[in-house]
Amino acid sequence: QVQFVESGGGLVQAGGSLRLSCAASGSTFSINFIAWYRQAPGKQRELVAGISRYGITNYADSVKGRFTISRDSAKNTVYLQMNSLKPEDTAVYYCNRALSSGMAWGQGTQVTVSS
């Protein structure tokens, strides 16, 4: 079983930046894909950015050019660099593996972007 702990969220003004961290523990060798998801108030959880064990990345259209996902395999940590933040980026951000029925979610980290 793999566990993920998110950190780095906070309050930032529009146009600012934040760097989120996701520390993975457990059977991390079995993970082929790790992604950042977010859930804004009143909205469904959505995939923001993902990265495979081979370094292939993908992003939601809404964050392309602004967010960058990366990983440090030695530290079992995934990062999300968020630049040019917008109020619509406000959400709780989670990291996890590819979506699957019954998967567990951690506490996430709150990102609030003020206008």
Side-chain angles (χ1 to χ4, degrees):
Q1 187 65 43
V2 181
Q3 293 184 337
F4 302 94
V5 179
E6 305 91 344
S7 63
L11 175 64
V12 65
Q13 294 184 6
S17 299
L18 284 173
R19 190 193 193 198
L20 307 184
S21 297
C22 171
S25 62
S27 302
T28 57
F29 59 85
S30 67
I31 303 175
N32 294 313
F33 179 81
I34 299 178
W36 284 96
Y37 304 84
R38 69 184 181 188
Q39 187 166 27
K43 297 184 178 181
Q44 294 190 121
R45 202 193 318 268
E46 64 175 345
L47 186 146
V48 177
I51 185 167
S52 75
R53 66 186 299 116
Y54 306 107
I56 301 173
T57 60
N58 63 287
Y59 299 89
D61 288 341
S62 60
V63 307
K64 287 181 179 178
R66 299 188 298 120
F67 292 10
T68 303
I69 188 171
S70 62
R71 73 185 197 281
D72 185 334
S73 298
K75 296 182 178 180
N76 289 323
T77 301
V78 177
Y79 305 95
L80 184 67
Q81 178 65 46
M82 306 185 295
N83 299 323
S84 301
L85 284 162
K86 304 175 180 179
E88 49 263 46
D89 294 318
T90 295
V92 177
Y93 284 70
Y94 306 87
C95 63
N96 217 318
R97 56 183 170 84
L99 288 174
S100 178
S101 297
M103 65 193 295
W105 296 88
Q107 292 290 106
T109 185
Q110 176 72 50
V111 172
T112 302
V113 184
S114 62
S115 59

